[in-house]
Amino acid sequence: MADLDTLESSPTAFLWWLHRCLGVYSDLSPASRDQIRRRHPDPARGTGQGFSRMHTLRTDLLDRIDGAIVRDRRDLGQMVSVSQFCREAARAAADAAEQRLGRDLPPAPGRLLNNPRRKRRD
């Protein structure tokens, strides 16, 4: 939601934001994804905690994600699931949004708006 005010090209719907962040993360090098993994170790790993929600992704995006996962396994010896890859991509996108915003992100609302309004450009 912070990107609505900092990026003119920011998607207004969560699913399109998710598509964008997954595409950007898929295009990173294995070494760059490894740096992000080290910066944000998965807190839910092995705890059995958390939740999952299904989102339908474009086939071409799934192919890019699969390719990135294979490169990470081949180049780094790291095995990640698609869901872990998605969590990492969201964390990386949140980090980038914080940098653009220049401060910590505000807490997420309990329910995201369907059609949030953008800040007016002067």
Side-chain angles (χ1 to χ4, degrees):
M1 300 251 336
D3 280 343
L4 289 172
D5 297 330
T6 58
L7 276 181
E8 280 194 44
S9 63
S10 175
T12 57
F14 173 74
L15 183 58
W16 302 127
W17 175 86
L18 182 62
H19 273 80
R20 174 183 277 182
C21 77
L22 289 169
V24 167
Y25 195 65
S26 296
D27 292 342
L28 294 176
S29 69
S32 294
R33 284 190 296 272
D34 184 52
Q35 287 178 334
I36 292 166
R37 282 186 193 114
R38 290 175 190 275
R39 203 168 43 238
H40 296 289
D42 190 359
R45 179 174 248 152
T47 65
Q49 300 296 317
F51 65 94
S52 61
R53 180 167 294 182
M54 185 171 161
H55 296 288
T56 303
L57 302 176
R58 294 185 327 258
T59 304
D60 64 303
L61 180 58
L62 287 171
D63 290 342
R64 289 167 64 192
I65 292 167
D66 289 341
I69 289 172
V70 169
R71 284 190 304 278
D72 289 353
R73 184 174 61 234
R74 184 190 62 218
D75 295 357
L76 303 171
Q78 294 178 353
M79 296 284 296
V80 297
S81 65
V82 172
S83 61
Q84 179 180 343
F85 188 91
C86 293
R87 284 191 304 272
E88 293 169 358
R91 284 188 195 116
D95 286 350
E98 275 188 343
Q99 287 180 341
R100 286 189 292 273
L101 192 59
R103 58 181 164 80
D104 289 345
L105 292 175
R111 181 179 164 107
L112 294 175
L113 302 171
N114 287 334
N115 292 305
R117 300 288 181 230
R118 290 186 187 278
K119 179 176 125 180
R120 286 187 179 215
R121 304 278 180 214
D122 295 329

